[in-house]
Amino acid sequence: MSGAPRLADASIRLDSMPAAGRDVAVTPGESERAMIASELRISAVTSLDVRLHAVKFRGGIRVTGRLTAQIVQPSVISLEPVTQEIAEPIDRVFLPGAEKSFAGAAGAEIFVDLEGEDIPDHFDGPEADLSGLIIETLALGIDPYPKAEGESAEALGLSQDAGKESPFAVLKALKDKGR
């Protein structure tokens, strides 16, 4: 994504976080939802509600919670608007960035365990902006091929096989001519 928009109330300060953690509620207004829809190239984000809980974790923070949303995008078959309800869990770790003396250089080699947890995200300074996390979670929940209930290419007469001969039928015809 090209520099995700910043959402109001989507930041957490690590230096003033209570020991029990902090709850964060993000419910973007109409203009922020329009920015998100534009960023994700969908028709609309009609609702978006994110409830998070952040706690200190390994020198950074761990953010858990849930995202619920309703989006509208065109059907891949008829281009009619299709509404989708999205409910996604969130569980992400954020660690301090390279300005910390214990953090590796930006070009440093890191070990990625493909069987283990996700690689932690990083933040600079005493504040972590969760806007990118929220937009990414929403994007991953979007159906890439939306269609209305009961809608199919065959029902509209758009079958891929219509008017095409099987390549095997063509080969069989060639074989029969050779006899």
Side-chain angles (χ1 to χ4, degrees), residues 5-178:
R6 286 190 62 127
L7 303 174
D9 304 322
S11 295
I12 295 181
R13 290 195 60 92
L14 182 63
D15 56 356
S16 63
M17 184 177 299
R22 173 168 289 133
D23 289 328
V24 177
V26 180
T27 307
E30 190 175 334
S31 63
E32 286 181 312
R33 291 193 318 267
M35 282 190 321
I36 294 169
S38 174
E39 178 76 17
L40 298 177
R41 294 183 174 93
I42 59 176
S43 303
V45 177
T46 53
S47 70
L48 177 59
D49 185 56
V50 184
R51 304 288 175 202
L52 302 172
H53 182 72
V55 293
K56 290 184 179 184
F57 183 78
R58 297 183 185 170
I61 57 174
R62 181 176 183 191
V63 179
T64 56
R66 187 147 195 85
L67 174 145
T68 56
Q70 184 181 66
I71 64 157
V72 178
Q73 60 181 328
S75 163
V76 295
I77 295 177
S78 65
L79 300 179
E80 292 297 318
V82 176
T83 300
Q84 179 187 356
E85 301 286 333
I86 297 173
E88 292 289 325
I90 295 175
D91 188 350
R92 190 74 62 90
V93 173
F94 289 83
L95 296 176
E99 86 280 354
K100 300 289 183 186
S101 59
F102 57 84
E109 188 174 327
I110 61 169
F111 173 75
V112 177
D113 180 7
L114 297 178
E115 302 297 321
E117 296 179 18
D118 288 338
I119 299 171
D121 287 309
H122 292 277
F123 63 93
D124 294 323
E127 184 175 50
D129 180 23
L130 305 177
S131 300
L133 168 66
I134 292 168
I135 294 169
E136 176 186 310
T137 302
L138 177 61
L140 291 172
I142 293 174
D143 180 356
Y145 303 105
K147 55 187 175 203
E149 191 173 322
E151 195 174 57
S152 70
E154 290 78 21
L156 294 175
L158 301 174
S159 175
Q160 292 179 336
D161 298 332
K164 285 188 180 178
E165 256 189 85
S166 162
F168 297 109
V170 174
L171 289 175
K172 185 177 185 311
L174 290 173
K175 181 180 174 189
D176 290 344
K177 283 183 183 178

